[in-house]
Each structure stands twice: as structure tokens, then as C-alpha cells.
Amino acid sequence: MSSASVGAIQRALLQLENQGADKFFGEPSFDIYDLMQTEQGKGVMNVLAADKLMMQPKLYSTFLLWLLSELYSTLPEVGDMDKPKLVFFFDEAHMLFEGTSKALLDKIEQVIRLIRSKGVGIYFITQSPTDIPENILGQLGNRVQHALRAYTPKDQKAVKTAADTFRPNPDFKTDEAIMNLETGEALVSFLDEKGAPAVVERAKILFPLSQIGAITEGQRLDIIRQSLIYGKYDTLKDRQSAYEELLNVNGNVNGNEDEEETTTKSKKKSSKEDDEDTGTTKRGTKKPGIMSKVLKAIMTAVTSTFAAILGTYVSNKISGKTTKSRTSTKEKVVKNATSAATRTITRELSRDILGNLKI
């Protein structure tokens, strides 16, 4: 991998880290089944306070991509249920698609196409249908459109676009109805029993029966403390990484070699020649044993391989590219580790043989 590619990956990771990704995607990881709780047979509404998260667009889109991918890959197929077991409402949906990578758009489109068979529904809430990409807008079956005002040519185009997303009703013109809707009135169209969009109708929307406006910080804390999962994600977990495990293994091997070396040196204090088994010189200065060098080479090769694979994966996710490899991760690691070990053993044996030749 070139240094320029490594630099690009590091810069992209640094942007995510500066936005808090190192803590947001830390341990313990979020369990999607926590979103599907019930209390006394009734579902629980979960609200993600994303007022700060929305100010970090890269982190927000990355989180959305992970959440949809996790739902799609984890939930089982349940067919066409009478009632969904989980429904997402994405408010201010236009913020989800501003500057979004093609990889995320493709993933959202894929999930929307297939997620209904897993008992999940998705609603996007925004000011205008034009805020949502056409490929995704075309997958939405239920539509609720409140009044739009057209004072500029751009607004008139948005009204026409919104009207074209509905199945026409012969009783009225949809584009005119959108501009004449009153407060609390909307145009609605839902899927019928055959799964086809019904004709658009004018309807009165029931006003919210909950509190109008944002809750206070005290109210929010009270609701959080009453949650069934309160405290589950409060304690950070710091697991041993693969790199740390390899360092521990290497340290134990070096420690055992030091003990053997000390024991052998005490028995052969009078020897002036280099002792190949113990790794000591004539002056009693310790040099690393061949096994230590081999393990160090293997550890370096394994770490470099994982770093290269991770870098390629992150780069593809950010750029939206897809790279197909004929070699699996396991094969790459084994191949690089074997090559590193072979080179190290050959080099050390050659040095020892040439060093023992006497002219």
C-alpha cells in the first residue's frame, strides 16, 4: 500500500475520531434488540436525542449506515406481518442525505427494498419530497403531505414533484390541493390490501395528544432513569486488542529465554566463545535469540496485514468503492506470516554459518 493511500485513510479516520467515533463505537456495543422492548404488552417508543450528533455529519451518516446494516443482517425473515415489530421515524431527513456517500445511499435503498420482510418500517420526515433521493423516494409506499407554498419557480417545481408522487384522484388536482391545504389538513396515500398505492385523498390529521415542544433536561433525565436499559451502556469496556495479545506473547517468550540464558551463563562462566543456544557474546552481552526474532517478524507481518486490510475496508466505505479479492483474510495473514518467518530464519542461519567459518 502506498504512503499516499495510508495518509488518506489516516486523515479520514482522524476526522471520525475528532467527531467522537472512538467513544461512540466503543464497547459495549449497542444491542439493536434494546429498541424492541415491550411493557405490559405494549411497545416502547425510543427517542434518539441527535441534536448534537446531527452537527457531526460524517459520524451521523456512519452511525446510520451501521444501524441499518446491523438490522438487515441480524433480524430474521418474518414475511408480511400485520403489524411491524419496529418502526423508524427519521426527522429532518434531508440532513441524512446531504453530502452522503454513494455507499450509504445504496445501503439505505437496499434496506428499504427488503426490510419489510423482517418486520421493520421506515418513515422519512422532511419539508419537501425533493429532499429525498429519487431511488429511495420511489421505494416509499405510505405518503402524508402537508401544505406547500409556491412563491418562486423552484417552489413551483417542488409542488409539482410532490404532486407527481401521488396516485391521481379524479375529484381534484393534486398540485392545486397541496397549495390550498389548511392547518392540520394533509394529502394522504397508503398501500391497499393488494400492496398498490391508493388514490390520494384529503384528510384531517389528529393533533398531537402529547406535550407540544421540547422537554426540559430534568424531564429527560427522569425518563432515562425509568428505562429498562438504564445504566447498561454507562461503563466503558477496554478489551485486549490483537496487537496487545501479540505483545504479551512476545514478552513471555523473551522472559523464558532470559531465564535459560542466565542459568546457562552461570554454568559456563569460563567459556569465551559465543554460545549459540543462550544468545550470549564473549563479553557477556545478551543478543536476541532466533525464536525472538522470528516471533517479532511474524507479529510485525500479522499487524501490517491487518492494518492494510482495515485500511482498504475503511477507504472503500468512505469512497463508496467495492474491491473484490480472491484471497481471504486468513490466507493473507498466514501467507505474510510464513514469508516473514522464512526470511528471518534464512537470514539468521546464514549469518551464523558465515560467522563460524574460519579462514
Side-chain angles (χ1 to χ4, degrees):
M1 182 180 294
S2 65
S3 58
S5 299
V6 174
I9 294 171
Q10 289 177 336
R11 287 191 296 272
L13 290 175
L14 183 60
Q15 290 179 0
L16 285 175
E17 184 178 359
N18 290 338
Q19 293 183 9
D22 55 335
K23 298 180 178 62
F24 196 84
F25 291 102
E27 292 268 2
S29 60
F30 182 69
D31 185 1
I32 61 172
Y33 286 97
D34 287 339
L35 297 174
M36 293 176 278
Q37 306 172 42
T38 57
E39 292 183 0
Q40 300 178 354
K42 297 181 179 180
V44 175
M45 181 182 295
N46 300 277
V47 179
L48 173 63
D51 48 346
K52 295 181 180 179
L53 184 60
M54 281 187 173
M55 303 307 294
Q56 312 293 345
K58 288 186 178 295
L59 180 60
Y60 193 27
S61 60
T62 303
F63 166 71
L64 178 60
L65 176 60
W66 171 85
L67 181 61
L68 294 178
S69 301
E70 192 75 5
L71 284 170
Y72 182 72
S73 61
T74 303
L75 296 180
E77 294 282 346
V78 295
D80 193 4
M81 302 177 66
D82 293 336
K83 295 180 180 179
K85 55 185 176 182
L86 179 64
V87 179
F88 277 102
F89 292 87
F90 292 106
D91 196 9
E92 301 295 344
H94 62 279
M95 300 187 69
L96 301 177
F97 304 107
E98 290 179 354
T100 303
S101 65
K102 187 177 182 301
L104 178 57
L105 291 177
D106 291 343
K107 177 61 67 174
I108 295 175
E109 182 180 357
Q110 179 191 31
V111 170
I112 293 174
R113 285 178 182 271
L114 305 174
I115 201 67
R116 191 176 69 171
S117 64
K118 299 196 174 189
V120 178
I122 298 177
Y123 284 83
F124 293 107
I125 306 170
T126 185
Q127 299 291 333
S128 172
T130 57
D131 295 333
I132 301 176
E134 291 184 1
N135 291 341
I136 296 176
L137 187 63
Q139 302 301 319
L140 306 179
N142 301 328
R143 304 173 190 273
V144 179
Q145 177 66 59
H146 288 276
L148 290 176
R149 302 292 181 252
Y151 301 107
T152 64
K154 183 178 179 181
D155 294 338
Q156 294 173 0
K157 183 179 179 180
V159 169
K160 186 177 185 307
T161 302
D164 291 341
T165 60
F166 287 99
R167 182 179 172 183
N169 189 328
D171 295 338
F172 58 86
K173 293 184 178 180
T174 307
D175 53 350
E176 294 180 0
I178 290 178
M179 294 187 292
N180 296 324
L181 292 173
E182 299 177 356
T183 302
E185 193 177 15
L187 296 181
V188 298
S189 176
F190 299 99
L191 298 179
D192 58 21
E193 295 179 354
K194 297 181 180 179
V199 296
V200 61
E201 298 284 356
R202 296 182 68 155
K204 292 287 187 178
I205 305 299
L206 182 64
F207 58 87
L209 301 178
S210 59
Q211 174 180 325
I212 303 296
I215 62 176
T216 64
E217 188 64 25
Q219 290 175 316
R220 177 181 296 181
L221 292 176
D222 290 339
I223 295 174
I224 292 175
R225 293 190 184 100
Q226 295 173 9
S227 173
L228 296 176
I229 59 173
Y230 174 65
K232 179 177 179 179
Y233 301 100
D234 289 352
T235 304
L236 181 65
K237 292 183 180 179
D238 185 11
R239 298 180 184 270
Q240 284 284 98
S241 65
Y243 178 73
E244 291 171 331
E245 291 289 348
L246 290 173
L247 284 180
N248 291 336
V249 171
N250 188 42
N252 292 335
V253 171
N254 288 338
N256 293 334
E257 288 187 352
D258 290 343
E259 293 179 1
E260 294 177 0
E261 188 176 323
T262 303
T263 303
T264 306
K265 285 174 64 178
S266 63
K267 293 180 181 180
K268 299 182 179 181
K269 292 182 179 179
S270 60
S271 176
K272 296 182 180 180
E273 297 181 355
D274 292 344
D275 192 329
E276 298 295 339
D277 295 331
T278 59
T280 56
T281 62
K282 296 179 181 180
R283 298 180 181 179
T285 304
K286 182 179 68 174
K287 68 176 183 179
I290 188 171
M291 284 303 298
S292 174
K293 294 181 179 180
V294 171
L295 285 174
K296 183 177 180 181
I298 293 176
M299 183 182 69
T300 303
V302 171
T303 304
S304 301
T305 304
F306 277 119
I309 295 172
L310 177 60
T312 303
Y313 175 78
V314 173
S315 178
N316 289 341
K317 285 294 181 183
I318 294 172
S319 62
K321 297 181 180 179
T322 302
T323 302
K324 295 184 178 179
S325 176
R326 298 180 180 177
T327 308
S328 65
T329 301
K330 181 179 180 181
E331 291 175 345
K332 289 181 180 179
V333 173
V334 172
K335 180 179 178 181
N336 292 345
T338 304
S339 300
T342 303
R343 289 196 302 270
T344 303
I345 293 173
T346 303
R347 183 175 63 251
E348 293 302 319
L349 290 178
S350 300
R351 288 178 177 176
D352 292 343
I353 293 174
L354 294 176
N356 288 332
L357 291 177
K358 296 182 179 179
I359 301 178

